[in-house]
């Protein structure tokens, strides 16, 4: 716009200063200056008007141009779209996992094709807009290219699926085929190939199911007239042809394997001949073992039987292999029971010589090895096992009539018996609990010094010292050492269990500090260890660890007490922190707020330290921390007491606060400047008020029930002052509004038909006023003796309500009519009762026993609208409370209901 106006202004200014013709024509005259021609000025009305019209025209043209530009906003999303990111987002969609990828891709293609068609139809190459000619060819070309790219990428996604499927199917087939054509080296590999070939139908069926997933995509590509890539075409053909190829390969391989199996069978027959020869030789060798009785050659015989055992195991393995292969060949299995008999004959000799050599090697090691390295428990196991074997083998040799072998067993067993008496001593003396003090005590008890820690000292030397005669004294000391060792290891275990165990210190909401948590199993472990430590303190074997036990018990008790107080402070702090985080509460409880603030500061400092060093023992074993938490708990108890007194004061000021819990009341009091914070809690304070209507300036104009009924306030109010004060004002206006509604409705009842009247007033008002007029008309009918006519009127009113219910009503109107019909049905039943009982006077019990409503005025009532609604039954008369009741449904009134009312 400025450019065009500059052209106009420059044109006007170019007319300024044009020299006139006169001095040039009348050159003989004396001209003091060269005059210029008169020209228009920008300030002249005509020029200014022309400039204004040009500016307006330009503005209108630019507005039209901008409006045209805005038509391209719908294409901004496509223009800015990153195609690669778009493709990634498509592949991440849930539809892919749910098997709906084709529907997703084709839907996207259809959408992009529609967008492309719209571009071709609606975007020209050039466009004239007012005085402008807009070149849109570049935008059109870019959008067309973008849509073409999107369509092509989506079609490629469709093509990628069958490509992946075919690649996977071909991979499975190739792996299957590779295993099928693997050369067989033995009968077992032939069997593996045959078993593998039997799975061809199952594998082909499975892969056909997989391949079927590709066909819908291929059909979609055909419908799009998109030719298949060469690679996809080759893979698809290969996947479809592979089942036939596998069957052909399987037939060829089976022919080759059949020939191989014949060869393997012939080879095994030759091997079996060698097998029987080897078995015969071994059997002969075993039968000769009874002659080997010289114990001087124990080591040689032990080595010999080990070699024979290896040979026997080899024969057993070969027998099992031959039987297995005979099953593959389809021939009767050979009986190799002879090998089992050889094993049975060989077993006693093998066990005797093995354990005999083991006993002699062990005896030398136990007697002459360093005492400090003696494995007493291993020695006990080996001695016991050797004794049992020698006893058992002796019986076996006697049964086989091999007396020399049986004597050898008895000889070894006697050696073992002679040494077994020292095993209990070895177990006691090699107890892990033996310390220097115990060896000193043994020295005092038996009068011998046993250099147990000397590397040169052996168990044989101890036996030679005559320790067997002092066994009772030594064992007694060693038993004490064992008991003390139990206490020592228990203490070490307890210390070790706390390593790496830390308090779970986590950030708490948005408070800028932390809270702690200890796992239940850790708390249980703490209690268990306290009990265990107490038990240790009463043990008669505690003396060497008395100080350590006392220190550890003191530590555990300190940790337990600190944790207990800590968690108690934490519970109170978590409850009070959001309360005193409110400025309103701090203003109303300054003393309690100050006390809580002091505790809060200490809490934050303590938790910073705990977060840095969260180890349970390190963090909690501090006496000053225990005192701090005890003092904090005392202060927080006082704060909670002050808070409770404050809440009690608020409840006494507005008694309906008693219906709220402490937390609910605190939510209100912590937001006293926000009147709307009361809304969620009105339902508990008032019988039926669900919410109040606040205007923008917070003027309260009406109340609403949970059913959606709205009752305007007879007097508007602002929530000023403490919440309990203005809620008391809400209560007053609620009562006043309900009373005013009843007063106005009493007048309106006579001004229009009842069927129209019921839809004009709140449900509570309709019921109260309806009952009032029913009482009044009932008494009139009784006095006049016209109960029958009154009954007919009741029926007529019920019929009118029935007709209304059948028509179109709002939810509120239908609720009101439902409750009113229940009352009217009961009223009809009461009139029937009065007729049956022939009631003729207002003092008859059948009438005074009914629940009756009266609008009554007192002479001294000086209000503008005097009178109150009273409810009477028999001799009782109660004022109507005007508590808003909403539009609630009514239960059917039964004789029991009337009896309850009366009592």
């Amino acid at each position: 716009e400025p450019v065009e106006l500059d052209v106009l202004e420059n044109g006007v200014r170019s007319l300024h200063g044009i020299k006139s013709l006169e001095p040039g024509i009348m050159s003989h005259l004396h001209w003091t200056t060269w005059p210029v021609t008169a020209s228009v000025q920008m300030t002249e009305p005509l020029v200014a008007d022309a400039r204004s019209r040009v500016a307006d025209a330009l503005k209108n043209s630019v507005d039209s141009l901008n409006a045209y530009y805005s038509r391209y906003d719908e294409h901004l999303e496509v223009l800015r779209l990153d195609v690669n990111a778009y493709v990634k987002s498509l592949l991440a969609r849930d539809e892919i996992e749910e098997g709906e990828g084709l529907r997703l891709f084709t839907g996207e293609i259809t959408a992009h094709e529609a967008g492309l068609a719209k571009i071709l139809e609606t975007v020209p190459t050039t466009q004239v807009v007012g005085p402008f000619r807009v070149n849109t060819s570049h935008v059109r070309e870019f959008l067309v290219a973008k849509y073409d790219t999107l369509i092509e990428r989506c079609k490629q996604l469709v093509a990628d699926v069958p490509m992946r499927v075919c690649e996977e199917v071909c991979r499975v087939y190739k792996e299957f085929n590779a295993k099928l054509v693997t050369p067989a080296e033995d009968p077992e590999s032939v069997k593996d190939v045959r078993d593998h070939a039997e799975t061809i139908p199952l594998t082909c069926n499975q892969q056909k199911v997989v391949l079927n997933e590709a066909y819908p995509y291929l059909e979609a590509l055909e419908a799009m007239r998109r030719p298949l890539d060469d690679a996809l075409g080759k893979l698809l053909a290969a996947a479809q042809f592979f089942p036939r190829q596998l069957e052909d390969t399987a037939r060829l391989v089976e022919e080759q394997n059949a020939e191989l199996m014949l060869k393997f069978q012939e080879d095994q027959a030759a091997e079996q001949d060698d097998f029987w020869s080897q078995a015969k030789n071994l059997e002969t060798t075993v039968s000769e073992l009874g002659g080997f009785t010289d114990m001087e050659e124990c080591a040689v015989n032990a080595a010999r039987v080990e070699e024979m055992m290896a040979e026997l195991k080899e024969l057993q393995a070969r027998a099992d292999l031959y039987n297995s292969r005979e099953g593959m060949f389809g021939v009767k299995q050979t009986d190799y029971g002879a090998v089992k008999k050889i094993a049975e004959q060989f077993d006693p000799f093998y066990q005797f010589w093995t354990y005999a050599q083991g006993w002699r090697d062990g005896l030398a090691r136990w007697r002459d090895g360093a005492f400090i390295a003696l494995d007493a428990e291993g020695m006990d196991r080996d001695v016991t096992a050797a004794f049992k074997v020698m006893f058992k083998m002796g019986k076996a040799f006697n049964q086989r009539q091999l007396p020399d072998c049986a004597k050898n067993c008895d000889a070894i067993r006697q050696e073992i018996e002679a040494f077994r008496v020292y095993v209990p001593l070895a177990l006691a003396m090699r107890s892990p609990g033996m310390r220097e003090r115990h060896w000193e005590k043994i020295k005092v008890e038996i009068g011998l010094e046993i250099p147990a820690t000397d590397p040169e000292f052996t168990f044989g030397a101890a036996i030679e010292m005559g320790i067997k005669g002092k066994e009772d004294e030594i064992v007694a000391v060693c038993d004490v050492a064992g008991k003390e060792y139990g206490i020592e290891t228990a203490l070490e275990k307890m210390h070790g269990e706390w390593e790496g165990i830390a308090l779970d210190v986590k950030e708490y909401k948005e408070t800028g500090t932390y809270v702690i948590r200890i796992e239940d199993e850790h708390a249980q472990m703490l209690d268990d260890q306290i009990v265990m430590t107490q038990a240790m303190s009463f043990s008669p074997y505690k003396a060497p660890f008395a100080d350590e036990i006392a220190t550890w018990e003191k530590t555990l008790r300190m940790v337990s007490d600190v944790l207990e107080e800590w968690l108690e402070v934490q519970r109170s702090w978590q409850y009070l922190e959001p309360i005193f985080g409110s400025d309103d509460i701090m203003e109303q409880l300054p003393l309690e707020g100050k006390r809580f603030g002091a505790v809060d500061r200490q809490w934050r400092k303590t938790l910073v330290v705990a977060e840095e060093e969260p180890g349970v023992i390190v963090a909690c074993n501090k006496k000053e921390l225990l005192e701090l938490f005890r003092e904090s708990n005392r202060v927080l108890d006082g704060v909670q007491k002050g808070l409770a007194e404050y809440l009690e004061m608020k409840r006494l000021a507005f008694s309906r606060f008693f219906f709220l819990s402490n937390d609910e009341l605190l939510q209100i009091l912590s937001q006293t400047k926000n009147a709307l914070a009361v809304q969620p809690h009105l339902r508990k304070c008032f019988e039926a008020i669900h919410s109040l209507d606040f205007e923008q300036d917070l003027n309260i104009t009406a109340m609403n029930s949970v059913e959606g009924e709205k009752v305007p306030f007879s007097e508007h109010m602002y929530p000023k002052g403490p919440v309990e004060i203005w809620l008391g004002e809400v209560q007053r206006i609620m009562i006043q509004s309900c009373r005013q509604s009843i007063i106005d409705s009493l007048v309106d009842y006579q001004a229009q038909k009842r069927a129209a009247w019921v839809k004009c007033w709140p449900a509570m008002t309709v019921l109260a006023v309806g009952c009032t007029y029913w009482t009044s008309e009932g008494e009139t009918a009784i006095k006049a003796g016209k109960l029958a006519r009154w009954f007919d009127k009741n029926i007529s009113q019920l019929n009118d309500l029935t007709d209304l219910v059948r028509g179109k009503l709002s939810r509120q109107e239908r609720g009101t009519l439902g409750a009113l019909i229940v009352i009217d049905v009961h009223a009809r039943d009461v009139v029937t009762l009065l007729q049956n009982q022939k009631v003729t006077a207002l003092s008859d019990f059948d009438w005074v026993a009914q629940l009756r409503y009266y609008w009554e005025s007192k002479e001294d009532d000086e209000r503008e609208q005097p009178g109150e609604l009273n409810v009477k039954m028999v001799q009782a008369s109660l004022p109507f409370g005007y508590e808003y009741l909403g539009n609630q449904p009514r239960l059917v009134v039964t004789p029991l209901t009337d009896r309850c009312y009366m009592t």
Side-chain angles (χ1 to χ4, degrees):
E1 181 180 330
V3 175
E4 288 79 1
L5 292 178
D6 286 346
V7 172
L8 175 63
E9 293 173 359
N10 289 337
V12 172
R13 281 194 293 271
S14 66
L15 298 176
H16 297 172
I18 297 177
K19 296 180 179 179
S20 64
L21 298 175
E22 286 82 356
I25 297 172
M26 294 178 284
S27 57
H28 298 290
L29 295 178
H30 178 70
W31 300 85
T32 57
T33 61
W34 195 302
V36 296
T37 59
S39 61
V40 297
Q41 301 294 324
M42 289 298 301
T43 55
E44 291 183 22
L46 186 61
V47 178
D49 179 61
R51 186 186 185 284
S52 176
R53 284 187 288 111
V54 169
D56 291 341
L58 286 172
K59 183 178 181 303
N60 292 335
S61 300
V62 171
D63 290 343
S64 300
L65 189 61
N66 289 332
Y68 180 71
Y69 286 162
S70 66
R71 291 170 56 183
Y72 287 84
D73 290 346
E74 62 180 300
H75 305 300
L76 287 175
E77 184 178 355
V78 175
L79 285 168
R80 297 169 179 169
L81 183 62
D82 185 330
V83 177
N84 291 329
Y86 164 74
V87 171
K88 287 182 179 180
S89 68
L90 279 184
L91 294 175
R93 293 273 290 273
D94 294 337
E95 290 91 333
I96 305 296
E97 295 293 331
E98 296 168 0
E100 297 291 332
L102 180 59
R103 182 180 60 81
L104 172 65
F105 297 150
T106 54
E108 293 294 312
I109 292 171
T110 302
H112 295 324
E113 288 177 342
L116 177 60
K118 185 176 180 181
I119 293 297
L120 295 173
E121 180 182 350
T122 61
V123 179
T125 54
T126 58
Q127 179 70 41
V128 176
V129 181
F132 303 102
R133 182 181 183 85
V134 182
N135 183 358
T136 59
S137 60
H138 296 299
V139 174
R140 189 176 192 271
E141 292 171 1
F142 185 85
L143 286 171
V144 168
K146 193 67 169 285
Y147 274 113
D148 285 338
T149 302
L150 290 171
I151 292 170
E152 178 57 28
R153 291 296 295 273
C154 288
K155 288 182 178 180
Q156 186 59 47
L157 289 177
V158 175
D160 288 344
V161 174
M163 175 67 79
R164 287 195 300 271
V165 171
C166 291
E167 286 175 347
E168 176 62 18
V169 170
C170 290
R171 182 191 64 79
V172 172
Y173 280 140
K174 287 178 181 178
E175 291 178 356
F176 192 97
N177 189 71
K179 188 174 181 181
L180 194 62
V181 299
T182 301
E185 298 177 353
D186 50 44
E188 287 75 25
S189 57
V190 171
K191 184 177 183 303
D192 289 342
V193 171
R194 285 176 172 175
D195 292 342
H196 187 59
E198 290 177 358
T199 64
I200 288 177
L202 176 61
T203 301
C204 290
N205 288 335
Q206 291 174 342
Q207 296 312 306
K208 285 178 181 177
V209 172
V210 176
L211 191 59
N212 286 339
E213 298 176 4
Y215 291 135
Y217 290 86
L218 294 171
E219 292 171 359
L221 291 172
E222 185 178 357
M224 298 173 193
R225 293 180 174 80
R226 188 180 192 276
L228 297 183
D229 297 339
D230 290 342
L232 176 56
K234 291 178 180 178
L235 283 172
L236 179 61
Q240 293 172 334
F241 178 71
F242 250 120
R244 175 69 62 84
Q245 181 181 344
L246 288 179
E247 293 174 358
D248 295 341
T249 303
R251 282 194 295 271
L252 179 60
V253 168
E254 178 56 29
E255 293 174 359
Q256 296 171 351
N257 287 338
E259 296 177 1
L260 283 174
M261 289 298 278
L262 291 175
K263 179 180 179 300
F264 291 145
Q265 187 173 357
E266 293 173 357
D267 293 343
Q268 179 167 310
E271 291 176 4
Q272 284 176 311
D273 293 339
D274 178 66
F275 172 86
W276 287 118
S277 175
Q278 185 177 351
K280 187 66 176 176
N281 293 336
L282 181 62
E283 183 180 11
T284 302
T285 305
V286 170
S287 64
E288 295 173 351
L289 286 175
F292 295 94
T293 58
D294 187 359
M295 294 304 297
E296 296 298 327
E297 297 182 358
C298 183
V300 174
N301 290 333
R304 179 183 291 120
V305 295
E306 283 292 344
E307 293 175 0
M308 294 172 67
M309 176 57 73
E311 186 178 356
L312 179 61
K313 287 182 179 180
E314 180 190 353
L315 288 175
Q316 289 173 332
R318 288 174 64 184
D320 293 339
L321 177 63
Y322 293 155
N323 279 151
S324 174
R325 289 182 175 179
E326 285 169 344
M328 298 178 198
F329 299 148
V331 299
K332 183 179 179 181
Q333 290 184 340
T334 304
D335 183 9
Y336 292 101
V339 177
K340 185 177 180 182
K341 290 180 180 179
I342 295 173
E344 292 174 354
Q345 291 293 323
F346 175 67
D347 183 66
F349 298 103
Y350 175 76
Q351 291 204 48
F352 169 74
W353 290 113
T354 301
Y355 274 92
Q357 185 60 35
W359 154 252
R360 292 191 170 182
D361 292 343
L363 180 62
R365 186 173 64 254
W366 300 325
R367 288 181 62 93
D368 303 329
F371 181 76
I372 58 175
L374 177 63
D375 179 7
E377 292 182 355
M379 178 181 71
D380 182 38
R381 288 192 302 271
D382 292 346
V383 168
T384 302
F387 182 83
K388 290 180 180 179
V389 168
M390 292 304 154
F391 181 79
K392 185 177 178 181
M393 294 305 103
K395 292 175 65 176
F397 287 140
N398 282 325
Q399 291 174 356
R400 296 188 182 187
Q401 304 298 318
L402 297 171
D404 293 338
C405 293
K407 288 180 182 179
N408 287 338
C409 289
D410 291 339
I412 297 295
R413 184 159 54 86
Q414 289 173 5
E415 292 178 13
I416 295 173
E417 284 182 340
F419 184 77
R420 283 181 73 183
V421 296
Y422 297 102
V423 171
L425 272 171
L427 288 171
M429 294 169 65
R430 284 296 297 151
S431 168
M434 293 295 288
R435 300 291 182 267
E436 187 63 33
R437 63 179 181 275
H438 301 119
W439 295 114
E440 290 294 330
K441 189 173 183 181
I442 289 175
K443 177 181 178 181
V444 173
E445 293 286 338
I446 67 175
L448 294 173
E449 181 177 359
I450 300 177
T453 58
D454 186 352
E456 301 296 328
F457 182 70
T458 65
F459 186 55
I463 295 174
E464 293 172 359
M465 292 171 65
I467 60 173
K468 178 61 180 174
K470 307 294 183 179
E471 181 177 1
D472 293 340
E473 292 85 348
I474 294 174
V475 170
V477 174
C478 292
D479 286 344
V480 171
K483 299 292 193 305
E484 292 176 354
Y485 181 69
I487 294 176
E488 181 181 356
T489 54
L491 285 171
E492 291 176 356
K493 181 182 178 183
M494 285 191 286
H495 283 285
E497 285 177 341
W498 287 108
E499 291 181 4
I501 295 180
L503 297 171
D504 187 6
V505 184
K506 293 184 176 180
E507 292 186 2
Y508 183 65
K509 297 182 179 178
E510 298 179 357
T511 59
T513 185
Y514 309 89
V515 293
I516 66 164
R517 188 175 71 88
I518 184 169
E519 298 291 342
D520 292 340
E521 56 267 28
H522 297 160
Q524 184 62 47
M525 183 174 72
L526 178 61
D527 294 338
D528 293 343
Q529 287 195 8
I530 290 175
V531 173
M532 187 182 298
T533 308
Q534 288 176 333
M536 287 181 184
S537 65
F538 292 107
S539 172
Y541 307 102
K542 70 172 184 178
F545 315 101
D547 293 341
E548 185 179 354
I549 292 172
T551 302
W552 184 241
E553 182 179 4
K554 183 179 178 182
T555 298
L556 293 177
R557 288 190 175 279
M558 178 62 70
V559 171
S560 177
D561 292 344
V562 168
L563 278 175
E564 183 179 354
E565 295 291 336
W566 197 336
L567 294 174
E568 183 63 30
V569 171
Q570 180 169 288
R571 282 190 290 271
S572 300
W573 179 85
Q574 286 178 299
Y575 173 70
L576 295 172
E577 194 278 334
I579 296 172
F580 287 97
S582 166
D583 294 338
D584 293 333
I585 296 293
M586 292 294 287
E587 290 177 4
Q588 298 171 62
L589 294 171
L591 179 59
E592 284 76 8
K594 184 177 179 181
R595 291 175 177 173
F596 175 78
V599 173
D600 181 67
R601 287 190 293 273
Q602 289 291 344
W603 172 266
R604 293 173 184 272
K605 291 179 183 178
T606 303
L607 266 293
V608 169
V609 175
E611 199 273 335
E612 294 173 352
E613 296 182 345
V616 174
I617 301 299
V618 175
C620 299
N621 189 23
K622 298 176 182 177
K623 186 175 182 180
E624 62 274 14
L625 200 59
L626 178 61
E627 297 300 326
L628 174 64
F629 285 143
R630 283 176 174 169
E631 177 62 19
S632 297
N633 273 320
R634 187 189 65 78
V635 172
L636 292 179
D637 286 343
V639 171
Q640 288 183 314
K641 183 178 179 181
L643 182 62
E645 291 174 351
Y646 168 71
L647 296 179
E648 184 70 14
M649 179 185 68
K650 293 295 183 181
R651 288 187 170 110
L652 292 175
F654 183 62
S655 57
R656 292 175 186 253
F657 278 161
F658 281 104
F659 298 139
L660 300 178
S661 66
N662 286 351
D663 291 342
E664 291 169 333
L665 182 53
L666 284 167
Q667 285 182 21
I668 295 175
L669 297 175
S670 63
Q671 304 179 73
T672 53
K673 295 177 182 177
N674 180 13
L676 298 177
V678 178
Q679 292 273 47
H681 308 287
L682 287 173
R683 188 70 178 86
K684 288 190 175 182
C685 292
F686 296 92
E687 178 69 22
I689 298 180
H690 181 259
S691 63
L692 299 173
D693 281 356
F694 288 85
E695 294 184 345
Q696 294 237 342
D697 60 352
L698 295 182
N699 186 26
I700 302 176
T701 59
M703 55 187 170
N704 304 293
S705 72
V706 70
E707 300 84 14
E709 184 180 65
K710 183 186 296 293
V711 178
F713 275 0
S714 60
E715 175 186 343
H716 293 183
M717 62 162 288
Y718 288 93
K720 296 180 179 179
V723 64
E724 66 273 13
I725 300 301
W726 68 261
L727 278 178
E729 189 66 10
V730 168
Q731 176 181 325
R732 181 189 67 79
I733 295 177
M734 173 196 72
I735 294 173
Q736 176 181 306
S737 300
C738 290
R739 179 178 180 274
Q740 187 63 46
S741 176
I742 290 175
I743 292 174
D744 295 342
S745 184
L746 285 168
V747 176
D748 189 51
Y749 186 90
Q750 297 178 337
Q752 57 179 325
K753 291 183 179 181
R754 190 170 187 261
W757 168 81
V758 297
K759 297 193 289 184
C760 299
W761 300 94
M764 167 186 164
T765 300
V766 169
L767 296 182
V769 172
C771 290
T772 303
Y773 274 102
W774 179 84
T775 302
S776 174
E777 293 172 358
E779 291 190 348
T780 301
I782 291 172
K783 290 177 183 178
K786 298 180 179 179
L787 286 176
R789 184 178 298 175
W790 187 38
F791 177 80
D792 293 339
K793 184 175 181 181
N794 275 260
I795 296 298
S796 175
Q797 290 176 343
L798 266 174
N799 290 335
D800 292 342
L801 295 182
T802 303
D803 293 339
L804 277 177
V805 169
R806 290 173 179 163
K808 188 175 181 180
L809 297 170
S810 67
R811 180 183 175 188
Q812 299 304 322
E813 291 169 348
R814 192 167 296 278
T816 302
L817 287 175
L820 184 59
I821 287 173
V822 171
I823 298 299
D824 281 4
V825 168
H826 178 253
R828 179 203 62 192
D829 295 341
V830 170
V831 176
T832 302
L833 173 67
L834 297 178
Q835 287 180 300
N836 294 338
Q837 297 298 325
K838 296 181 172 47
V839 172
T840 58
L842 298 180
S843 58
D844 286 355
F845 180 76
D846 289 312
W847 171 248
V848 298
Q850 305 304 320
L851 193 65
R852 311 182 308 282
Y853 286 68
Y854 296 90
W855 184 265
E856 297 176 331
S857 301
K858 296 181 180 179
E859 294 181 359
D860 57 349
D861 192 343
E862 299 180 354
R863 289 178 294 183
E864 182 178 348
Q865 293 175 314
E868 293 292 345
L869 185 62
N870 293 305
V871 183
K872 298 182 180 181
M873 192 177 212
V874 194
Q875 300 299 320
S877 178
L878 299 174
F880 191 78
Y882 303 110
E883 175 79 22
Y884 177 56
L885 301 177
N887 192 359
Q888 303 176 12
R890 289 291 299 266
L891 295 175
V892 176
V893 181
T894 65
L896 179 61
T897 310
D898 288 333
R899 223 171 290 137
C900 292
Y901 285 162
M902 188 178 297
T903 55

